[in-house]
Amino acid sequence: MSPSRTLPTLTRAEVTAHNTSKSCYVSMGSRVFDVTDFIDSHPGGKDLILDYGGKDVTNILKDEVSHTHSEAAYEILEDTFIGFVATEKVLDTAVKSTHPDQIVPLPPTADGLHELKENGANGGFVFANTGMSSEADLSKETDLVDDYKTHKFLDLNEPLILQVWFGGFSKDFYLKQVHRPRHYKGGESAPLFGNFLEPLTKTPWWVIPILWLPPVLYGTYIAREGLSSTVEEAAYWLLGLFLWTLVEYILHRFLFHLDYYLPDNRVALTLHFLLHGIHHYLPMDKLRLVMPPTMFVALAIPFWKLAHTVFFYNWSAATAVFCGGIFGYICYDLTHYFLHHKTLPAYWKELKKYHLQHHFMDYENGFGVTSRFWDGIFGTELAPPPLKTLKAL
């Protein structure tokens, strides 16, 4: 299970008990930080930290009389984030709720968060890996100036690709930042190249069926001549469609989310950003949700050759399989766009919820887009919050 789903939920009493130099916790709202290793290096002295051991430090960090802390202090604190504290209002909401498992352990689900807000317990419930609490956060406007000032990653007002290339980012820092979603001007496209290449990076969703459906239909038509019957062709075509679901999973998990196997250099990080990183960084960008035609051709050619290598005994069979697979890709790209931007019927509504959780909750699991089938087979399904009885609280 991903770290974003295993951070513990502590009671206030548990946090308060960690107030010594051997184990010192502090909290900000519902978030808990283990500052034990920072005690001796605190510029203001260890005693000042120990005075606030086990307590909430939200106000003291902002206190101008005592000392207003710098952005660097908040960054250090962020690195010590270990879990959540269930405040009295959180516990009260869970006790009254008909679905307490939606609330605790923290962070809550979207429904649980709604209940907490209604009960006045609103704030600080975020997933460690993404800094988000719900799918609604994906569409919250990013303060461009404040975001750059705080995280020192990319300035969304300037061409992004040059910043990635010349930024000198370490792989760990890059991966941490690129998976913290931002939202640019209501879903518009932030500048990527900032020159004549910019249009090649933007693709409206309707381009996909217009461009690729005719070749699929034509390929299916000519493939029929080399097969014994329409039934035989349909069997090969449906096999290609099924194989696409596996290809979709493999590409998403092992290519788009190569992540921790990336070499730690700017070439690898820039290619990662172009291939998929920008989608996690700006997941609601309406014109960078479907695959640009140039990238599609680059990926489709190897699969054309693979299909004709595997089904070498019959060119028509290989073509039918390939056409079925490409139709699967068309369905995938359209589904991906609609999951991000459309209101959908019941089945797709569940897929939408599942896929957006991949963005705001846990990018290390949930690789299926058109189906959760292969996630179930390979053990990468997004895990729901583990059940916890109120008696245990």
Side-chain angles (χ1 to χ4, degrees):
M1 188 181 293
S2 164
S4 62
R5 302 301 299 146
T6 58
L7 291 173
T9 294
L10 308 173
T11 64
R12 173 52 67 184
E14 287 176 306
V15 175
T16 302
H18 290 265
N19 60 0
T20 70
S21 58
K22 292 183 179 180
S23 180
C24 187
Y25 291 179
V26 296
S27 63
M28 288 181 63
S30 66
R31 308 177 78 208
V32 180
F33 306 87
D34 184 349
V35 296
T36 308
D37 293 338
F38 184 63
I39 291 176
D40 292 329
S41 57
H42 183 242
K46 61 186 296 184
D47 290 339
L48 186 58
I49 288 188
L50 292 175
D51 284 345
Y52 286 90
K55 301 176 183 177
D56 191 290
V57 296
T58 303
N59 293 329
I60 191 62
L61 288 177
K62 298 178 181 179
D63 186 6
E64 295 182 3
V65 176
S66 173
H67 170 58
T68 301
H69 284 70
S70 66
E71 294 167 6
Y74 285 95
E75 290 175 4
I76 292 172
L77 197 60
E78 194 66 33
D79 289 337
T80 66
F81 177 43
I82 60 164
F84 303 92
V85 57
T87 63
E88 288 185 13
K89 283 193 174 182
V90 170
L91 296 180
D92 180 59
T93 305
V95 169
K96 294 177 180 177
S97 174
T98 55
H99 298 285
D101 57 292
Q102 302 278 341
I103 298 170
V104 289
L106 296 173
T109 65
D111 292 337
L113 184 62
H114 180 70
E115 285 193 64
L116 286 167
K117 288 180 179 179
E118 288 186 337
N119 203 40
N122 176 27
F125 309 116
V126 298
F127 293 95
N129 280 4
T130 65
M132 309 231 123
S133 63
S134 70
E135 65 181 66
D137 287 348
L138 297 172
S139 298
K140 287 182 179 178
E141 199 78 19
T142 298
D143 184 322
L144 306 186
V145 175
D146 183 66
D147 180 72
Y148 182 63
K149 185 179 178 182
T150 301
H151 297 286
K152 299 177 177 63
F153 183 45
L154 301 179
D155 182 350
L156 285 163
N157 285 313
E158 300 295 331
L160 301 177
I161 200 67
L162 292 178
Q163 296 181 69
V164 176
W165 181 260
F166 291 111
F169 307 125
S170 69
K171 181 179 74 170
D172 287 344
F173 176 78
Y174 164 81
L175 289 172
K176 179 179 179 181
Q177 288 299 322
V178 86
H179 289 111
R180 294 177 69 91
R182 275 74 165 181
H183 188 57
Y184 182 78
K185 297 182 179 179
E188 293 183 18
S189 298
L192 184 56
F193 289 99
N195 56 27
F196 67 95
L197 293 173
E198 199 72 18
L200 297 178
T201 72
K202 301 176 183 179
T203 310
W205 69 267
W206 46 262
V207 167
I208 301 305
I210 289 176
L211 203 57
W212 304 125
L213 208 50
V216 167
L217 295 174
Y218 178 70
T220 302
Y221 171 74
I222 62 174
R224 171 66 184 86
E225 296 181 6
L227 296 169
S228 62
S229 67
T230 302
V231 172
E232 183 183 14
E233 182 184 28
Y236 278 115
W237 197 92
L238 290 173
L239 174 62
L241 181 61
F242 174 75
L243 290 175
W244 163 256
T245 64
L246 179 59
V247 170
E248 171 196 315
Y249 177 87
I250 291 172
L251 286 176
H252 194 183
R253 180 178 179 182
F254 296 109
L255 178 61
F256 298 166
H257 282 276
L258 189 64
D259 293 2
Y260 295 103
Y261 297 101
L262 280 173
D264 194 353
N265 60 62
R266 65 180 182 178
V267 174
L269 299 188
T270 302
L271 289 174
H272 179 275
F273 189 76
L274 284 172
L275 187 64
H276 197 60
I278 190 172
H279 175 53
H280 273 263
Y281 189 60
L282 295 162
M284 304 307 284
D285 184 335
K286 296 178 181 179
L287 295 178
R288 293 194 178 114
L289 267 169
V290 298
M291 193 177 295
T294 48
M295 184 182 293
F296 169 80
V297 171
L299 291 175
I301 290 174
F303 283 104
W304 168 267
K305 293 183 180 297
L306 178 63
H308 285 79
T309 299
V310 173
F311 298 93
F312 63 92
Y313 56 86
N314 190 314
W315 185 92
S316 294
T319 301
V321 169
F322 181 76
C323 288
I326 298 303
F327 182 77
Y329 153 73
I330 294 170
C331 293
Y332 155 79
D333 241 356
L334 297 182
T335 299
H336 190 205
Y337 180 86
F338 294 149
L339 294 183
H340 278 260
H341 287 292
K342 299 294 181 181
T343 301
L344 301 167
Y347 171 74
W348 285 275
K349 190 176 292 184
E350 286 302 309
L351 275 182
K352 178 186 179 84
K353 180 179 179 181
Y354 185 75
H355 179 66
L356 294 184
Q357 284 176 344
H358 170 73
H359 281 281
F360 78 78
M361 185 178 85
D362 182 3
Y363 62 84
E364 296 172 310
N365 288 296
F367 302 106
V369 175
T370 56
S371 168
R372 300 166 59 165
F373 176 76
W374 295 109
D375 277 323
I377 296 296
F378 293 112
T380 55
E381 276 193 301
L382 289 167
L387 295 177
K388 185 172 183 179
T389 63
L390 291 178
K391 289 183 179 179
L393 295 172

